[in-house]
């Protein structure tokens, strides 16, 4: 990662811990962070755990990322940092965000979990911010591991010290399980056992989400929020889907992660190919269509983690795909301000685009592009075209 980014990198067990370290390092407790409401709910609780108030930004219906021009001037003056999403690997306008942050004297923190290999022009995502956090559990196909890349190499020792204070002891059996889990996952997919395994886990109560969002536990959250920054107090929320997010990694798992990383370039190449294929469909989000338009060189096609296809009646399609053995993950619906409410977040001043995007986005793995193309042609969903004004509000759920 140092070679890819030209920055020093601090190894962390997970991207979510990397983001937490960045928030603690560069944001004053009691401050606020501008972020997209179309994001993993875990990130909401990471921000709360750092003693900060999440401020929801308007988003672009083209890609679900922060719409810089729609953020009110009063909001820019009030926030203490900006946290990008790079949703599904589509890049935030990091260059303009950095210029805004520099003018306001606040840090830009890049959540690049979905964006290893994504670039703006010839500059990699992860090189614009005061710091950038990456995940190995996405493109590299691992079950943990990540990096925090600070702009100033002088911050490395302080970040390592804070990381070490937060780590829980390594466990050999967990390292072995995490090293073997990608192999088991590949076998399940190869043997077409995704649906029976998924249904068995659901029947046994092993899934931590009933739907797309975790349970808020509002009463407990109300009590907990008053005692931050405290990562341990927020553990029940931050650990969802990755209980070892701050467990120290031993040599067995580190070797497995190194092997995974050795195949990263091949993975990125396959993702570009799948992104171009899916991005050329009538369902692709406008930002994806632009990224794969005729004349765009292959090296400039983003190697997306998921390709957002915008479809009507998305939830019904998700259920139909599940019956065909395709489990859809990384759906961020409803937006975080609708999910958590104004008690815990500052709502977006213009929530309609986020609600529209969250309600219609079907995230598709570009590595499964050809199979998904066949299934989608069979299902023939109607594309959800972006609209504006009162029509957009009428289509948004819960309004």
């Amino acid at each position: 990662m140092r070679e890819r980014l030209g920055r020093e990198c601090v190894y962390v067990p997970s991207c979510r811990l990397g983001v937490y370290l960045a928030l603690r390092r560069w944001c004053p407790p009691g401050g606020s962070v501008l972020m997209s409401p179309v994001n993993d709910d875990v990130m909401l609780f990471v921000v709360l755990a750092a003693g900060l108030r999440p401020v929801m930004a308007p988003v672009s219906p083209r890609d679900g990322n922060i719409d810089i021009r729609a953020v009110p001037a009063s909001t820019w003056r009030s926030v203490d940092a900006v946290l990008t999403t790079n949703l599904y690997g589509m890049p935030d306008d990091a260059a303009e965000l950095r210029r805004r942050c520099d003018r306001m004297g606040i840090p830009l923190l890049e959540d690049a979990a979905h964006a290893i290999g994504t670039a703006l022009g010839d500059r990699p995502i992860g090189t614009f911010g005061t710091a950038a956090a990456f995940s190995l559990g996405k493109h590299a196909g691992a079950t943990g591991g990540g990096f925090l890349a600070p702009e100033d190499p002088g911050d490395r020792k302080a970040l390592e010290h804070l990381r070490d204070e937060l780590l829980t002891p390594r466990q050999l059996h967990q390292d072995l399980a995490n090293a073997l889990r990608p192999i088991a996952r590949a076998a399940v997919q190869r043997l077409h056992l995704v649906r029976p395994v998924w249904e068995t886990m659901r029947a046994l109560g092993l899934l931590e989400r009933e739907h797309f969002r975790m349970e808020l536990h509002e009463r407990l959250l109300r009590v907990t929020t008053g005692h931050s920054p405290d990562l341990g107090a927020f553990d029940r929320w931050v650990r969802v889907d990755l209980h070892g997010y701050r467990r120290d990694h031993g040599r067995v798992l580190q070797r497995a992660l190194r092997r995974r990383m050795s195949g990263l370039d091949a993975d990125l190449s396959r993702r570009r190919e799948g992104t171009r294929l899916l991005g050329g469909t009538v369902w692709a989000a406008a930002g994806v269509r632009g990224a794969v338009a005729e004349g765009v060189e292959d090296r400039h096609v983003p190697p997306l983690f998921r390709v957002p296809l915008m479809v009507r009646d998305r939830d019904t399609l998700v259920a139909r795909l599940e019956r065909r053995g395709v489990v859809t993950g990384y759906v961020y619906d409803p937006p975080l301000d609708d999910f958590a409410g104004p008690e815990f977040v500052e709502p977006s001043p213009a929530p309609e685009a986020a609600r529209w995007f969250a309600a219609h986005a079907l995230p598709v793995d570009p590595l499964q592009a050809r199979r998904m193309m066949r299934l989608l042609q069979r299902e023939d969903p109607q594309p959800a075209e972006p609209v504006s004004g009162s029509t957009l509000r009428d289509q948004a759920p819960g309004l």
Side-chain angles (χ1 to χ4, degrees), residues 269-289:
S269 179
R270 292 194 299 271
R271 288 181 181 278
R272 289 189 179 93
E273 180 182 352
T275 297
R276 188 179 282 282
L277 181 63
L278 291 165
T281 69
V282 296
W283 307 291
V288 180
R289 290 202 301 269

Side-chain angles (χ1 to χ4, degrees), residues 128-345:
F128 292 88
T130 307
F134 290 86
S135 171
L136 298 182
K138 305 295 188 294
H139 289 63
T143 53
F147 298 91
L148 181 62
E151 181 179 35
D152 184 349
D155 287 310
R156 178 174 179 171
K157 288 189 180 298
L159 291 167
E160 289 177 334
H161 178 72
L162 179 58
R163 174 203 61 190
D164 293 346
E165 286 184 340
L166 295 168
L167 290 177
T168 56
R170 68 187 63 170
Q171 298 177 359
L172 179 59
H173 70 283
Q174 288 293 343
D175 279 2
L176 288 169
N178 287 335
L180 294 173
R181 191 169 291 126
I183 300 173
R185 184 169 54 204
V188 166
Q189 293 174 339
R190 186 171 59 253
L191 297 172
H192 305 291
L193 298 175
V194 172
R195 182 183 176 190
V197 169
W198 182 259
E199 290 177 345
T200 299
M201 292 179 67
R202 178 181 289 163
L204 294 175
L206 299 178
L207 300 178
E208 295 187 273
R209 301 173 189 268
E210 286 295 321
H211 199 49
F212 301 134
R213 295 297 192 190
M214 70 174 79
E215 188 176 348
L216 187 63
H217 297 290
E218 184 176 347
R219 293 182 180 179
L220 180 59
L221 183 61
R222 185 175 296 117
V223 174
T224 306
T225 301
H227 298 281
S228 54
D230 185 347
L231 186 59
F234 284 85
D235 187 71
R236 72 174 300 151
W237 295 280
V238 178
R239 73 181 183 183
V240 167
D241 299 329
L242 188 62
H243 285 214
Y245 73 96
R246 60 177 178 142
R247 184 181 296 121
D248 192 15
H249 288 170
R251 293 180 180 178
V252 171
L253 183 54
Q254 288 183 16
R255 282 198 295 269
L257 292 173
R258 278 196 292 270
R259 287 195 297 272
R260 289 276 161 185
M261 280 292 286
S262 69
L264 179 59
D265 286 326
D267 178 276
L268 295 176
S269 179
R270 292 194 299 271
R271 288 181 181 278
R272 289 189 179 93
E273 180 182 352
T275 297
R276 188 179 282 282
L277 181 63
L278 291 165
T281 69
V282 296
W283 307 291
V288 180
R289 290 202 301 269
V292 303
E294 186 177 354
V296 175
E297 298 179 26
D298 286 346
R299 66 188 183 95
H300 290 306
V301 172
L304 296 187
F305 170 59
R306 293 292 185 268
V307 178
L309 305 182
M310 311 308 293
V311 297
R312 295 183 184 179
D313 202 8
R314 191 269 321 281
D315 293 1
T316 298
L317 179 59
V318 166
R320 289 161 64 180
L321 290 173
E322 191 174 307
R323 290 194 291 271
R324 296 183 180 276
V326 176
V327 176
T328 304
Y330 303 97
V331 174
Y332 301 138
D333 186 25
L336 292 175
D337 39 3
D338 289 340
F339 164 66
E343 181 176 357
F344 302 110
V345 307

Side-chain angles (χ1 to χ4, degrees), residues 63-66 84-95 97 110-111 114-115 118-121 123-126 128 287-288 291 300-304:
D63 56 21
N65 287 318
I66 294 174
T84 67
T85 305
N86 299 295
L87 185 63
Y88 304 131
M90 287 296 296
D92 276 272
D93 188 353
L97 283 171
E110 297 180 81
D111 180 353
H114 293 177
T118 295
L120 281 174
R123 185 172 175 182
I125 287 295
F128 292 88
V288 180
H300 290 306
V301 172
L304 296 187

